């Protein structure tokens, strides 16, 4: 019997490394006016946060949306003791003023 080690197979040379690609993502400019309108018009139907979603602030948009609905639920329950008839319109007016301003500013800061 032959104790010789068989020769290793010849491997072809490795292909040259591909050049590294750099991706430049283009974020189109968002209009602050459009974000404000997307807050005010659905806000008339008590749906807030859409302008923030348009501006790219998903967490803020969802916070305004579900936060206002939670606040509206509390104000609805407060209507049974009549204080809700005062607090609900005040919360709606405050959100109608605050939300479009924040959404428009977030577009200009990007």
């Amino acid at each position: 019997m032959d104790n010789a080690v068989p020769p290793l197979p010849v491997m072809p040379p490795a292909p040259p490394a591909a050049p590294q690609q750099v991706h430049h993502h283009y974020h189109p400019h968002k209009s602050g006016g459009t974000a404000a309108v997307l807050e005010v018009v659905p806000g008339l139907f008590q749906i807030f946060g859409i302008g923030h979603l348009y501006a790219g602030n998903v967490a803020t948009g969802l916070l305004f949306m579900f936060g206002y609905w939670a606040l509206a639920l509390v104000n609805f329950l407060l209507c049974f003791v009549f204080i809700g008839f005062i607090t609900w319109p005040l919360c709606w007016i405050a959100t109608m003023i605050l939300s479009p301003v924040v959404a428009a500013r977030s577009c200009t800061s990007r």
Side-chain angles (χ1 to χ4, degrees):
M1 298 250 167
D2 189 45
N3 288 340
V5 178
L8 294 175
V10 177
M11 299 294 290
Q20 183 178 6
Q21 294 183 3
V22 178
H23 298 281
H24 297 282
H25 295 284
Y26 172 69
H27 297 286
H29 178 70
K30 304 285 181 145
S31 169
T34 303
V37 168
L38 286 172
E39 283 295 316
V40 171
V41 173
L44 295 173
F45 303 100
Q46 298 192 13
I47 300 171
F48 293 98
I50 297 175
H52 294 281
L53 296 175
Y54 165 78
N57 298 331
V58 176
T60 306
L62 293 177
L63 181 69
F64 265 97
M65 187 178 292
F66 294 116
Y68 179 77
W69 289 343
L71 189 63
L73 176 65
V74 170
N75 283 319
F76 173 74
L77 295 175
L78 286 174
C79 284
F80 291 108
V81 291
F82 297 107
I83 191 78
F85 291 110
I86 297 169
T87 58
W88 197 341
L90 290 176
C91 291
W92 180 79
I93 290 169
T95 309
M96 283 291 283
I97 293 170
L98 181 66
S99 186
V101 171
V102 174
R105 284 190 183 166
S106 68
C107 285
T108 58
S109 67
R110 288 186 171 240

